[in-house]
Amino acid sequence: MTPKELSEDDKKIFHAIDKNDVILLRAALVDKRNVNILNENLITPLQHASYRGNKEMVQILLDQGADPNLCEHAYGYTALHFAGLSGNVDVCNLLLLAGAKSSAVNTLGRTAAQMAAFVGNHNCVTTINNYVQKKDVEYYTVVQGQQTKPYLQPFLSESFHKFIMTINVHPVRIALNLQSIVGLIEHLDEIRNVLELMCRKEMKGKEMNEVMSLKFHYLGYIVEAISKIRKNKKDDDDKKSDVFELFTRKLLKPNKDGNLDFMDNFLKECIREFPFRECTLFKQMVASLTGNDPPSALSVITAAINGQRGFMDHISVCNTCGEEKPGKKCSKCKVVQYCDRNCQRLHWFVHKKACTRLSQSSSDQSEPQETKVDPSDLNAEIENLLVSN
Ligand SMILES: [Zn+2]
Ligand SMILES: [Zn+2]
């Protein structure tokens, strides 16, 4: 197919993307203009904006009806291939949500995730590989056979979909997601059940996916643990948030040697309960946990789900939930980093002693004092202890 001669108006669309100018692009797209067009290189505006890694432009073009799978490019690069090359995770997500097929290959036989890996855009690889099609979730919201109600109530579909696509698999982050995504906390047993079904479904049929099967098992295991804490607390008058606080405190509490024994054992038990013990992934995890100087169970699970990263050790993470490149740090010691005040609050019971020590080792004046914190004053106390990086 050869491109039709572009009109002056169509040229303006490509020109705006070339200039990375959102305002120009909006101006070029008046009158519901058709954006499924090709330039002289057989590239659509969406492919072009994806290559630029411009999230806003990609959203504008998708809103205007751009087809994420339209591809006439000589080397078969789809918009998702270009997004993977750009390194912009948000652009990958927008395209996937719009229905971009992650299985499409270019003329080298490579998928978008493989091309992203090739240029070292690891976050794009995990975003694409962790993506679950909405229809795979919606399947559980429909009444099947003899059922009187579906496994998952339809209104939970979107929240659940968001929950299972988390890339950060730190158990505290998963708990925080359960707490913050609308509607999930009231339906833990339903969610647990659907995750179990999805875990088994990934191991059926021709296209077995051990990684996603493990991920669904893992998420289900954490949901179950939180659900148990919640049931035991039901008769108390405490707030809902206390369930998550109890859970995260258990996980983050170090032993005498400063190791996170509880978290490690909790996660090892999760691996042990994975129902598909014959699969390669399970055997690999067991091998690394039983070898000499074994890594933590969390790093084994992270590597199993998100792949080996390599050369990424220098990246800073939140001390509470493991989120990469957190935006804040403790203003007193200026050493430990957090996503936000909530992450700092959850970690304060561990950090408060170290914080005093760390901040005094820098000023080195007064006698070390242990700060006594009344939990009800906690928010006030840390109110001024968080600054942006
Ligand atoms: Zn955090
Ligand atoms: Zn501190």
Side-chain angles (χ1 to χ4, degrees):
M1 169 174 164
T2 49
K4 284 186 212 126
E5 188 66 28
L6 287 178
S7 69
E8 285 308 308
D9 286 335
D10 289 345
K11 281 179 188 165
K12 282 181 189 163
I13 297 175
F14 285 103
H15 176 73
I17 299 168
D18 239 356
K19 296 279 171 214
N20 229 3
D21 191 325
V22 176
I23 296 167
L24 263 188
L25 180 64
R26 281 191 199 280
L29 289 177
V30 288
D31 314 330
K32 299 206 164 124
R33 190 164 290 286
N34 174 25
V35 291
N36 292 313
I37 52 174
L38 301 171
N39 71 2
E40 63 281 7
N41 299 317
L42 302 179
I43 283 176
T44 66
L46 185 66
Q47 285 168 312
H48 199 9
S50 300
Y51 184 61
R52 289 218 157 258
N54 190 315
K55 177 185 168 184
E56 209 175 340
M57 285 188 171
V58 166
Q59 184 67 66
I60 292 168
L61 290 163
L62 287 170
D63 290 346
Q64 192 93 357
D67 177 353
N69 294 308
L70 176 60
C71 179
E72 299 290 340
H73 182 247
Y75 299 104
Y77 284 65
T78 63
L80 192 59
H81 280 93
F82 285 120
L85 292 173
S86 83
N88 190 308
V89 168
D90 294 331
V91 171
C92 292
N93 253 324
L94 287 176
L95 293 172
L96 288 162
L97 276 168
K101 292 194 177 81
S102 56
S103 55
V105 293
N106 62 12
T107 51
L108 299 168
R110 299 249 168 94
T111 63
Q114 286 167 333
M115 286 312 292
F118 187 66
V119 295
N121 290 334
H122 199 91
N123 285 341
C124 291
V125 179
T126 46
T127 298
I128 297 170
N129 286 344
N130 277 285
Y131 190 79
V132 180
Q133 295 288 336
K134 272 191 169 160
K135 66 174 171 45
D136 292 341
V137 167
E138 282 158 3
Y139 169 82
Y140 296 98
T141 65
V142 179
V143 176
Q144 320 269 343
Q146 306 290 313
Q147 280 183 327
T148 50
K149 66 181 183 101
Y151 290 114
L152 192 71
Q153 296 182 53
F155 74 91
L156 285 172
S157 180
E158 203 161 309
S159 294
F160 180 79
H161 186 236
K162 192 173 170 192
F163 174 67
I164 60 176
M165 287 208 296
T166 179
I167 287 172
N168 177 354
V169 293
H170 193 296
V172 171
R173 177 42 58 192
I174 290 166
L176 291 173
N177 290 347
L178 263 186
Q179 185 183 27
S180 64
I181 301 175
V182 180
L184 298 184
I185 178 67
E186 308 296 338
H187 301 272
L188 295 177
D189 290 341
E190 260 170 276
I191 290 166
R192 162 84 186 88
N193 191 26
V194 174
L195 285 166
E196 170 84 31
L197 292 167
M198 291 177 84
C199 163
R200 295 183 181 278
K201 196 176 182 191
E202 290 294 340
M203 296 299 273
K204 280 182 195 145
K206 276 186 201 150
E207 289 178 42
M208 285 204 295
N209 189 332
E210 297 178 354
V211 174
M212 289 311 277
S213 177
L214 173 72
K215 184 176 180 180
F216 295 142
H217 164 73
Y218 176 71
L219 293 176
Y221 185 80
I222 292 173
V223 172
E224 187 176 19
I226 292 171
S227 172
K228 273 183 191 160
I229 298 174
R230 189 157 189 259
K231 278 174 190 157
N232 291 336
K233 280 196 66 71
K234 232 173 189 176
D235 299 330
D236 298 354
D237 286 326
D238 290 328
K239 289 173 288 180
K240 271 185 278 180
S241 61
D242 289 337
V243 173
F244 295 96
E245 206 150 330
L246 275 172
F247 180 70
T248 52
R249 271 182 174 246
K250 275 187 184 182
L251 292 177
L252 295 174
K253 194 177 166 72
N255 70 3
K256 278 182 279 155
D257 306 321
N259 296 322
L260 299 176
D261 278 356
F262 182 89
M263 187 183 333
D264 209 46
N265 290 328
F266 172 75
L267 297 179
K268 277 181 185 157
E269 189 57 34
C270 169
I271 295 173
R272 235 173 264 136
E273 287 186 16
F274 186 53
F276 303 102
R277 295 171 151 242
E278 292 307 311
C279 80
T280 317
L281 192 65
F282 179 78
K283 288 175 181 167
Q284 279 170 353
M285 287 192 291
V286 172
S288 47
L289 282 172
T290 51
N292 285 332
D293 195 16
S296 69
L298 178 58
S299 63
V300 170
I301 288 171
T302 306
I305 295 174
N306 286 332
Q308 300 289 350
R309 313 202 51 155
F311 311 116
M312 301 293 274
D313 292 342
H314 58 282
I315 283 192
S316 60
V317 295
C318 170
N319 270 50
T320 304
C321 75
E323 194 75 10
E324 285 180 5
K325 298 179 192 164
K328 308 276 185 181
K329 66 184 166 196
C330 174
S331 69
K332 201 171 167 193
C333 63
K334 297 190 174 56
V335 177
V336 297
Q337 305 199 38
Y338 300 105
C339 301
D340 51 27
R341 186 154 287 151
N342 192 35
C343 280
Q344 183 185 32
R345 189 180 61 81
L346 290 169
H347 195 247
W348 183 241
F349 81 104
V350 180
H351 178 59
K352 60 184 176 187
K353 289 176 194 168
C355 183
T356 310
R357 201 169 53 240
L358 288 167
S359 49
Q360 275 167 356
S361 69
S362 51
S363 63
D364 214 290
Q365 299 296 325
S366 52
E367 286 283 298
Q369 296 173 343
E370 185 172 326
T371 333
K372 289 227 168 64
V373 189
D374 174 355
S376 59
D377 291 341
L378 199 57
N379 280 322
E381 184 173 339
I382 63 171
E383 192 64 28
N384 297 312
L385 281 182
L386 205 59
V387 291
S388 295
N389 273 336

